[in-house]
Amino acid sequence: MSVFAVEFKVRDYECDMQGIVNNGVYFNYLEHARHEFLLDKGIDFAELARQNINLVVVRSELDYKASLTSGDQFTVTVAFEPVSKVRFGFRQQVIRQADQKVVLEGLIIGTAINERGRPAIPEQFAAQLGA
């Protein structure tokens, strides 16, 4: 399984009163990394939407293992994982660069919704994700 990675740096406003990244902010990090992963595979999220194919998240499982603080540099990884004929998964990690500590592990399950509002993953899309 090939792993894609995007580097980030924590911005001050992403931290809560405890001085750590707010748990909800991690969803943004993960989503941005998935969009970059799709672009790297030749899949344009916005173009799919224009074609009435909407990628949606149907389940998120996140295990928080440590905290990031302001200024921390970190990497978000993405690995595609087939789930079923109409669902796909992304195994993701957030890794602090200073010590290679895994801060978060997640599994995001998604599907594609067609113009009739039904789950349907286009063949070309599935082939590109698995490449």
Side-chain angles (χ1 to χ4, degrees), residues 78-98:
V78 182
F80 171 73
E81 182 176 296
V83 174
S84 72
K85 289 174 74 172
V86 294
R87 290 188 174 190
F88 48 85
F90 298 103
R91 291 259 174 215
Q92 294 190 260
Q93 288 187 322
V94 174
I95 304 165
R96 188 170 43 227
Q97 291 176 3

Side-chain angles (χ1 to χ4, degrees), residues 17-63:
M17 291 178 59
Q18 297 169 316
I20 60 175
V21 171
N22 180 279
N23 66 306
V25 172
Y26 289 94
F27 283 98
N28 295 326
Y29 297 155
L30 298 175
E31 182 175 31
H32 181 73
R34 289 192 308 275
H35 285 210
E36 291 296 318
F37 169 81
L38 292 174
L39 285 171
D40 186 66
K41 295 288 188 178
I43 299 167
D44 185 335
F45 189 85
E47 180 55 33
L48 284 174
R50 285 189 287 275
Q51 296 171 16
N52 292 318
I53 300 167
N54 294 293
L55 303 182
V56 296
V57 171
V58 296
R59 181 175 179 82
S60 298
E61 298 175 16
L62 303 183
D63 293 317

